[in-house]
């Protein structure tokens, strides 16, 4: 690890390990350390780290890795985040970027996607025949076979194997805690993006020479068109977070637990509220991976409408960046939280899915809208940060500040509006999306430089945007 990209910061309650280059580190808001100090007051914490995209969140910063021993550990909805299971997915197509040179064709594809993927705030997905109970209990294994496109070609199948996890174990008892309205709303939202920074994007691949061998092993080619998806557990995860946080807050008050921040909630893993939260969180992780899968299913159908039945879209990988679960490190069991942090395992790590044992799995890092995204792979040095890397660019301006300070003209220029290489956006008004413009975020290239410089991961492919689909 290069020390220019790592700082150990001592605070009154403990220490936080920060992975960021000098410029990014110098620009960090003092509040990120205030929040770290509060988080370090939770008993028995073993480790806390920040990735270079770290920024202030509710209770805990986005870009946090927090670790406890299993035997005396704690779980915190605040250190998971309200969008439980939010994460990334990339699919490989059989298209080359030259086939999408015509901006009119890119617009046609975006319009076709809108037909299958609801964009309005309260839009209903097209999957009413799927049983939500099966989804939250069984993950991808709870879907009817017709929604697993490669189920009938097992030798080429990637839907259930090229994912961080296709199913989390859920007994189901805690699911009875939710009222019918939560089930109804969550069922309607299956296969929808949601708002904020969630998106689906059509991108073109560039492969650096130094990792071409890994890229080719993964099926990546220069100029190849890929689909990147960013979404989470929608209303289901939000309800889990709200319900459990409320109950934990009451318990903490009764038992005299707490920190300087009343929004930072937690419970011992051994406490019934801790057990309930973990089970419900896993149900939201199941929902999230299915939701991204169904978004991809919808985009595949749109692709067939535009390009014909020969259009292909195989799964490269699906992973999460808001979750907590048990991991083994150096022969010891830990409970690891990641809030806005991506797990990036190196080659030969035993936790790699079978297809990626030899190379390490793809770590999917989105840029801001209009900027490049990255596909990375973990390095052995990542063990120092429990194999956590960034999850994106990270905000530098709040939504309200972005709307106040960034002009529509600046946003339009970053999207190359009116040019041959315009990044087509489905939203009719750029003004409504200014708070998601690249100017609202850190420079993703600087973030990636810090991750590489710290020896946590390296770049396998750069993904340049061709068209972006945003929800309401």
């Amino acid at each position: 690890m290069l020390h220019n990209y790592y700082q150990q910061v001592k605070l009154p309650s403990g220490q936080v390990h920060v992975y960021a280059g000098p410029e990014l580190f110098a620009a960090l808001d003092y509040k990120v350390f205030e929040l770290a100090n509060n988080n370090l007051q939770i008993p028995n914490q073993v480790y806390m780290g920040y990735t270079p995209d770290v920024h202030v969140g509710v209770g805990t910063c986005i870009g946090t890795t927090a670790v406890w021993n299993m035997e005396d550990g704690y779980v915190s909805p605040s250190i998971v985040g309200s969008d439980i299971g939010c994460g990334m997915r990339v699919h490989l197509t059989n298209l080359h970027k030259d086939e999408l040179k015509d901006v009119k064709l890119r617009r046609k594809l975006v319009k076709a996607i809108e037909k299958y993927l609801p964009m309005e705030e309260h839009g209903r997905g097209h999957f009413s025949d799927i049983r939500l109970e099966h989804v939250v209990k069984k993950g991808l294994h709870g879907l009817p076979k017709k929604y697993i496109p490669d189920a009938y070609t097992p030798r080429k199948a990637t839907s259930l194997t090229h994912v961080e996890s296709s199913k989390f174990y859920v007994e189901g008892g805690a699911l009875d805690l939710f009222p019918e309205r939560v089930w109804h709303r969550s069922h309607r939202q299956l296969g929808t993006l949601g708002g904020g920074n969630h998106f689906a994007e059509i991108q073109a691949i560039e492969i650096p020479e130094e990792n071409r061998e890994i890229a080719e092993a993964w099926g990546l080619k220069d100029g190849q068109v890929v689909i990147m998806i960013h979404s989470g557990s929608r209303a289901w995860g939000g309800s889990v977070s709200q319900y459990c946080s409320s109950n934990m807050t009451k318990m903490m008050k009764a038992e005299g637990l707490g920190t300087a921040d009343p929004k930072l909630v937690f419970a011992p893993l051994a406490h019934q509220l801790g057990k309930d939260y973990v089970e419900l969180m896993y149900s939201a992780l199941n929902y999230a991976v299915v939701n991204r899968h169904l978004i991809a299913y919808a985009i595949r159908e749109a692709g067939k409408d535009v390009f014909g039945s020969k259009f292909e879209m195989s799964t490269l990988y699906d992973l999460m960046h808001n979750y907590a679960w048990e991991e083994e490190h150096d022969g010891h069991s830990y409970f690891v939280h990641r809030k806005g942090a991506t797990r990036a395992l190196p080659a030969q790590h035993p936790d790699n899915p079978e297809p990626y044992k030899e190379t390490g799995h793809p770590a999917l890092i989105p840029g801001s809208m209009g900027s490049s995204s990255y596909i990375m792979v973990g390095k052995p040095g990542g063990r120092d940060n429990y194999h956590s890397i960034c999850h994106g660019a990270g905000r530098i301006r709040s939504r309200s500040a972005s709307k106040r300070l960034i002009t529509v003209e600046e946003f339009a220029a970053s999207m190359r509006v009116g040019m041959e290489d315009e990044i087509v956006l489905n939203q009719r008004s750029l003004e409504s999306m200014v708070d998601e413009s690249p100017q609202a975020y850190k420079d993703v290239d600087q973030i990636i430089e810090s991750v590489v410089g710290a020896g946590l991961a390296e770049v396998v492919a750069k993904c340049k945007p061709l068209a972006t689909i945003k929800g309401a």
Side-chain angles (χ1 to χ4, degrees):
M1 174 173 44
L2 301 179
H3 294 290
N4 285 346
Y5 298 96
Y6 168 76
Q7 297 283 341
Q8 182 176 307
V9 180
K10 293 184 178 179
L11 300 167
S13 300
Q15 56 190 21
V16 59
H17 304 264
V18 185
Y19 293 84
E23 191 176 337
L24 288 172
F25 183 83
L28 290 178
D29 190 320
Y30 76 94
K31 288 182 181 177
V32 303
F33 298 110
E34 193 176 283
L35 286 175
N37 193 59
N38 293 334
N39 278 241
L40 286 163
Q41 291 169 30
I42 302 174
N44 306 333
Q45 193 164 167
V46 172
Y47 177 87
M48 184 172 182
Y50 278 160
T51 51
D53 52 333
V54 64
H55 57 284
V56 172
V58 177
T60 300
C61 286
I62 293 94
T64 294
T65 302
V67 183
W68 279 264
N69 288 310
M70 284 299 300
E71 54 265 27
D72 60 359
Y74 281 71
V75 62
S76 170
S78 306
I79 315 182
V80 170
S82 59
D83 190 4
I84 300 167
C86 182
M88 305 301 304
R89 171 176 280 254
V90 166
H91 284 256
L92 309 181
T93 78
N94 55 345
L95 299 175
H96 188 274
K97 66 179 181 179
D98 290 348
E99 297 175 71
L100 289 176
K101 267 187 177 179
D102 187 348
V103 70
K104 291 179 182 177
L105 181 57
R106 296 202 296 279
R107 289 196 182 108
K108 181 180 178 181
L109 178 57
V110 166
K111 194 168 183 180
I113 290 170
E114 286 186 303
K115 174 184 167 186
Y116 290 94
L117 197 59
M119 297 299 156
E120 60 273 15
E121 187 175 354
H122 301 292
R124 180 175 189 152
H126 298 281
F127 305 102
S128 57
D129 58 335
I130 294 173
R131 290 188 60 181
L132 181 58
E133 183 182 3
H134 289 176
V135 166
V136 296
K137 283 185 175 181
K138 302 177 182 178
L140 291 173
H141 301 272
L143 287 174
K145 201 168 186 178
K146 70 176 184 178
Y147 292 118
I148 308 293
D150 48 19
Y152 301 98
T153 54
R155 288 186 180 180
K156 296 181 180 179
T158 57
S159 293
L160 301 178
T161 55
H162 290 54
V163 294
E164 193 166 37
S165 181
S166 61
K167 174 186 175 182
F168 291 86
Y169 178 70
V170 175
E171 283 187 1
L175 299 177
D176 296 335
L177 299 169
F178 287 124
E180 181 59 33
R181 59 181 172 78
V182 172
W183 287 87
H184 178 70
R185 187 180 177 202
S186 300
H187 191 235
R188 285 175 60 92
Q189 290 182 343
L190 270 174
T192 62
L193 281 168
N197 61 358
H198 292 168
F199 66 86
E201 194 162 80
I202 301 154
Q203 304 170 335
I205 289 286
E206 288 183 2
I207 299 171
E209 201 56 46
E210 58 269 22
N211 277 320
R212 186 167 295 277
E213 188 176 340
I214 293 177
E216 289 176 353
W218 291 353
L220 300 175
K221 302 169 187 174
D222 271 314
Q224 184 176 21
V225 173
V226 300
I227 311 294
M228 179 175 277
I229 295 165
H230 178 206
S231 192
S233 53
R234 308 291 278 116
W236 185 264
S239 298
V240 168
S241 183
Q242 186 176 21
Y243 173 83
C244 294
S245 294
S246 175
N247 285 342
M248 283 187 192
T249 299
K250 294 172 188 173
M251 178 275 292
M252 289 168 65
K253 188 174 182 180
E255 299 192 9
L257 288 172
T259 70
D261 186 353
K263 293 179 180 177
L264 177 58
V265 297
F266 53 91
L269 282 168
H271 194 286
Q272 188 58 48
L273 290 182
K275 293 176 181 178
D276 285 347
Y277 174 71
V278 170
E279 180 171 8
L280 289 170
M281 174 185 60
Y282 286 171
S283 76
L285 298 182
N286 280 334
Y287 186 108
V289 69
V290 168
N291 191 45
R292 287 189 294 275
H293 175 93
L294 292 175
I295 291 168
Y297 182 92
I299 294 172
R300 181 184 287 103
E301 294 301 299
K304 287 181 179 178
D305 283 357
V306 175
F307 302 107
S309 60
K310 292 185 178 179
F311 176 73
E312 295 176 6
M313 231 177 86
S314 60
T315 309
L316 175 68
Y317 203 54
D318 181 289
L319 53 72
M320 313 163 291
H321 48 231
N322 282 1
Y323 64 103
W325 64 3
E326 183 177 354
E327 294 178 6
E328 187 172 296
H329 294 266
D330 297 323
H332 191 79
S333 292
Y334 296 96
F335 198 69
V336 179
H337 295 64
R338 292 186 179 91
K339 182 178 183 179
T342 304
R343 196 183 194 198
L345 299 176
Q348 307 298 333
H349 193 285
D351 288 350
N352 276 308
E354 191 60 39
Y356 295 113
K357 288 287 187 191
E358 298 300 315
T359 60
H361 66 82
L364 313 174
I365 310 299
S368 55
M369 187 162 43
S371 69
S372 294
S373 298
Y374 288 86
I375 299 173
M376 307 185 76
V377 67
K379 296 187 72 175
R383 71 173 73 87
D384 295 338
N385 196 37
Y386 288 78
H387 296 292
S388 292
I389 65 170
C390 59
H391 87 305
R395 295 193 77 90
I396 52 172
R397 291 190 177 100
S398 67
R399 296 191 182 280
S400 57
S402 298
K403 290 176 180 178
R404 193 171 64 250
L405 298 172
I406 301 166
T407 67
V408 173
E409 290 75 21
E410 288 173 322
F411 186 16
S414 65
M415 298 296 285
R416 309 283 296 163
V417 172
M419 306 290 185
E420 276 190 18
D421 59 346
E422 176 181 341
I423 302 165
V424 174
L425 179 63
N426 68 312
Q427 295 293 333
R428 304 295 178 259
S429 166
L430 284 180
E431 191 172 8
S432 68
M433 299 299 299
V434 163
D435 59 337
E436 280 297 313
S437 66
Q439 293 86 350
Y441 287 83
K442 299 178 184 181
D443 181 349
V444 70
D445 292 338
Q446 276 192 315
I447 303 294
I448 298 300
E449 180 195 345
S450 289
V451 170
V452 173
L456 303 178
E458 55 190 355
V459 174
V460 176
K462 190 173 184 176
C463 311
K464 292 198 167 184
L466 304 175
T468 303
I469 296 95
K470 298 284 289 185

